[in-house]
Amino acid sequence: MTNYYQGIDIGSSYTKITVIDENDCVTYQNIIKTLNRDKQELANIISKIKSDFNIVSICATGYGREHFKDSHINKTEIYCASVGVSALYPELKTIIDIGGEDIKVIKSGGDSKVDDFYMNTKCAAGTGTFIIEIAERAELELSLLSELAAKSEFDKELNSFCTVFAKTEIMKWIFDEVPEHDLARGIYISIVNRIAKIRMDKALPIFLIGGVIQYHPFLKTIVEEKFKQRVVVPENPQMINSFGAALLAKKHALTEMKINAI
Amino acid sequence: MEQEIKKPYKIQSAKIMKEIMGNYFLGMKDTTKKIAWCTSVGPAELLRSFGFEVHFPENHGALLGATRTATDLIPEATKLGYSSEICSYLTADVGSYLKKQTPLTEHYGLEGPPKPDLIVYNTNQCREVQDWFEYFAKEKGCPVFGIEPPRYVDEVSNEAIENVAAQFKSLIPICEKASGQKFDIDKFRETIRLSKEATDLWKKVLWTARVSPSPISFFDATIHMGPIVVLRGTQMAKDYYTTLLKELEDNVVKGIGFLEVEKCRIYWDGMPIWGKLRPMSELFAANNAAVVASTYCNSWVFDAFDPKDPFESSALAYTEIFINRSENAKEKILKKLIKDFNIGGMIFHEAKTCFSNSNSRFGMPLRLKNELGIETLVIEGDLCDLRFYSEGQTTTKIETFIEQLS
Ligand code: SF4
């Protein structure tokens, strides 16, 4: 029977699941809202995976990792990100993971080792929540934000670090009749400028992952402009941590088997 | 994830300590005794030599933090105009006074901290204590005396020792008046002797953590430091650390540590997050990470005390404390600790409301990382005000750090 390995990334907004086979090939992926009151949905997905695949090991990651009872190991999303991206791009790099409620900047070795990392713990400035809140105040359709921003040459940013005050700040732009596409670009610039204040090795290529880049692909252009570096967005950037977790589940299973064999 | 259930490691002497600390607080009920308030690294020995019972407002602050009542009390002080970004010991303690609410009532039947006959502070740790203690001196209508040593010194010069010793001496007439007792050099020598013996034992207690597996963690030490903070200069403190040391040394001989296996050894810099002591301790333990050293607990190691030379030696002891040193001197002390305790990673707690005891703000973690190749992590939080602490994010940071070290 073929063995499969499962990674589950329980983030603050979404739960992502990846199943891989012995060759590290992704055979299954799914994503659902984390705070779905209907807990049955996740339970159904998990039991369907169990019946479809011979899952030998599970690794949980993300904020909810401790609450997932079926996992064999738990690892942080920072380590999983490093493992997931390194499996696809084995090189020294900076990974920027922009999630719903935080930003993580990881210096990641080609061998998946986390050399250094930064994470904001003070506020939600520059995260997915920031975009949602500001776009809502500016009455911009979230799903069109990237398309709009692509049409603009605007170069201003919102200065306030506080999401709530930034919402007040964007009112001034609206009163000044700044066109919609400029507002959209301004929001993205604000995010990237916040990231640029974090210490990182300027010589390294940047890999953008997380839900925000998945739904706001134009951010990549702004990151390229700001950092003047090779910027890569891996395929399915939102799923990469669960992919990393699946790889770690496999590694764990193989080590266990080795120990048992001794 | 299925967690293996292990028998929890317990330091048995904790029971005795609880009793001692209980008696210390109950002793404050005795209205016939004169009471002095003193900063935690203030001249407690001199005060004790006049027969004062000594109350330490910072100890009360830590209690407010540990019982998680501080967060409710701090806004009372901010209504009075104190910023919520200054020392949360101060704001919690002032808030407790204004709201007439303290865990001392529930635990020891005290209405609040004892009424002072004299208030003494030493700005060797920070300027905040000056404002804090002056506030209470006004409120309580009692004399206040401040010792102001040179700050952030590289090495302590002879002039600095003379200066501080002279300030200690000028405290004598104030103490005589407030206590109604004449100064007695022999009594002072005796309290310095007792303090020295207790502090030597405390150092030995902390230094047992150099062994792996260590018999005492940083989190344990923040609890067991109670007597050296509030009872130094007494026989009780000395006796307690004799007992504790024996237990820990026995555990070392038996190879028993608070972790069975130490995956990595960590130094903690700065203040504890009092309201999160237990979850923090459990978080590290669950990851087999041993937090075994700190300059915080070492603050009550006073090598310099010498009964032959009580004024000068205590002036040196209280001026050379880590918090009062230059970045350069601090770096030297840290490098030695890293080596002596075989440390693989350093966590710097950047306490929002304690500028003086947050050592990450002038680039120290990065400098040490670059120079020694040691991993460093800065976490943001606070000693008492949990509004400045994001538990989920910090847990992820700490676990990633441990993954990095393992
Ligand atoms: S050293 Fe920090 S915590 Fe202690 S009294 Fe001063 S400001 Fe407060």
Side-chain angles (χ1 to χ4, degrees), chain B residues 317-329:
Chain B
Y318 286 125
T319 308
E320 70 175 358
I321 52 174
F322 183 78
I323 198 169
N324 194 34
R325 306 298 287 277
S326 67
E327 285 284 292
N328 248 335

Side-chain angles (χ1 to χ4, degrees), chain A residues 115-118 199, chain B residues 267-270 322 327-328 330-332 334-335 338 343-351 355 357-380 397 401 404-405:
Chain A
D115 285 338
D116 206 353
F117 68 96
Y118 170 89
R199 172 169 55 90
Chain B
Y267 159 86
W268 177 283
D269 189 86
F322 183 78
E327 285 284 292
N328 248 335
K330 282 181 180 171
E331 252 179 60
K332 271 191 218 149
L334 288 178
K335 283 179 186 164
I338 292 165
I343 298 296
M346 306 173 83
I347 292 184
F348 287 79
H349 172 210
E350 188 174 311
F355 180 84
N357 211 0
S358 296
N359 292 302
S360 52
R361 291 178 173 161
F362 296 96
M364 178 104 72
L366 198 58
R367 277 202 304 277
L368 288 172
K369 182 179 166 119
N370 291 341
E371 233 181 278
L372 305 179
I374 191 162
E375 294 298 344
T376 59
L377 174 73
V378 179
I379 59 168
E380 288 124 3
K397 274 173 105 166
F401 186 65
Q404 231 183 320
L405 296 176

Side-chain angles (χ1 to χ4, degrees), chain B residues 58 87 89 125-126 128-129 132 271 323 353-354 356-357 383:
Chain B
E58 287 147 82
C87 176
Y89 276 173
Q125 56 185 95
C126 63
E128 279 79 350
V129 291
W132 180 4
M271 308 286 294
I323 198 169
T353 73
C354 178
S356 302
N357 211 0
L383 38 143

Side-chain angles (χ1 to χ4, degrees), chain A residues 102 111 125 128 130 136 176 178 201 234 245 254 260:
Chain A
D102 63 27
D111 57 356
F130 179 86
E136 189 195 21
D176 290 346
V178 173
D201 192 334
L254 297 183
N260 291 341

Side-chain angles (χ1 to χ4, degrees), chain B residues 88-358:
Chain B
S88 57
Y89 276 173
L90 183 166
T91 48
D93 193 42
V94 169
S96 156
Y97 168 69
L98 294 172
K99 235 182 157 183
K100 297 190 176 36
Q101 206 179 302
T102 167
L104 292 175
T105 312
E106 195 195 321
H107 294 304
Y108 309 108
L110 291 165
E111 261 176 44
K115 194 176 172 309
D117 297 289
L118 172 64
I119 291 185
V120 176
Y121 63 82
N122 189 340
T123 56
N124 53 355
Q125 56 185 95
C126 63
R127 76 176 290 289
E128 279 79 350
V129 291
Q130 181 177 358
D131 297 78
W132 180 4
F133 283 48
E134 298 267 2
Y135 166 81
F136 276 109
K138 230 180 245 155
E139 285 295 310
K140 307 277 181 184
C142 82
V144 56
F145 186 87
I147 293 148
E148 287 162 17
R151 288 285 279 135
Y152 309 116
V153 294
D154 218 20
E155 295 302 331
V156 184
S157 64
N158 286 337
E159 293 75 39
I161 296 174
E162 274 167 33
N163 166 351
V164 176
Q167 293 189 54
F168 283 174
K169 283 176 189 159
S170 57
L171 177 58
I172 292 175
I174 299 163
C175 285
E176 285 180 334
K177 197 163 169 223
S179 69
Q181 285 192 25
K182 274 260 153 251
F183 174 64
D184 178 343
I185 185 83
D186 292 328
K187 275 194 191 157
F188 186 30
R189 285 187 207 282
E190 176 62 5
T191 48
I192 287 283
R193 183 187 65 78
L194 285 168
S195 229
K196 168 74 175 154
E197 287 175 9
T199 194
D200 284 351
L201 289 160
W202 174 236
K203 183 175 181 177
K204 283 187 183 151
V205 161
L206 294 172
W207 260 241
T208 59
R210 289 194 302 170
V211 176
S212 179
S214 161
I216 184 165
S217 75
F218 160 69
F219 302 102
D220 297 325
T222 60
I223 306 291
H224 289 272
M225 72 185 204
I228 196 67
V229 177
V230 303
L231 284 165
R232 61 179 186 277
T234 69
Q235 184 69 34
M236 266 174 297
K238 186 187 150 188
D239 291 348
Y240 178 63
Y241 291 113
T242 309
T243 309
L244 177 61
L245 180 63
K246 166 125 191 20
E247 180 183 347
L248 299 181
E249 282 179 339
D250 282 352
N251 284 352
V252 168
V253 172
K254 291 184 209 143
I256 303 172
F258 65 90
L259 293 178
E260 275 172 36
V261 182
E262 294 178 351
K263 260 206 321 211
C264 54
R265 290 169 65 81
I266 294 174
Y267 159 86
W268 177 283
D269 189 86
M271 308 286 294
I273 302 172
W274 287 111
K276 290 289 168 185
L277 222 46
R278 185 193 285 259
M280 271 278 173
S281 156
E282 287 171 354
L283 170 66
F284 284 98
N287 287 284
N288 288 315
V291 187
V292 286
S294 75
T295 43
Y296 179 68
C297 294
N298 295 2
S299 303
W300 289 272
V301 170
F302 303 105
D303 288 329
F305 281 155
D306 182 354
K308 286 202 293 294
D309 215 354
F311 283 103
E312 277 70 21
S313 73
S314 55
L316 171 61
Y318 286 125
T319 308
E320 70 175 358
I321 52 174
F322 183 78
I323 198 169
N324 194 34
R325 306 298 287 277
S326 67
E327 285 284 292
N328 248 335
K330 282 181 180 171
E331 252 179 60
K332 271 191 218 149
I333 294 170
L334 288 178
K335 283 179 186 164
K336 183 157 168 29
L337 274 183
I338 292 165
K339 203 163 146 261
D340 289 353
F341 283 75
N342 191 20
I343 298 296
M346 306 173 83
I347 292 184
F348 287 79
H349 172 210
E350 188 174 311
K352 178 76 179 177
T353 73
C354 178
F355 180 84
S356 302
N357 211 0
S358 296

Side-chain angles (χ1 to χ4, degrees), chain A residues 63 65 68-69 71-79 114-117 119 121-122 199, chain B residues 1-3 350 366 369 375 377 380 390 392-397 399-401 403-404:
Chain A
Y63 283 129
R65 63 186 176 279
F68 189 73
K69 299 285 171 247
S71 66
H72 298 89
I73 51 164
N74 296 345
K75 295 285 170 192
T76 64
E77 52 273 35
I78 295 174
Y79 186 38
V114 174
D115 285 338
D116 206 353
F117 68 96
M119 203 179 138
T121 55
K122 279 186 184 148
R199 172 169 55 90
Chain B
M1 192 174 66
E2 293 291 322
Q3 294 266 354
E350 188 174 311
L366 198 58
K369 182 179 166 119
E375 294 298 344
L377 174 73
E380 288 124 3
S390 315
Q393 281 83 349
T394 308
T395 301
T396 299
K397 274 173 105 166
E399 288 196 338
T400 308
F401 186 65
E403 282 167 354
Q404 231 183 320

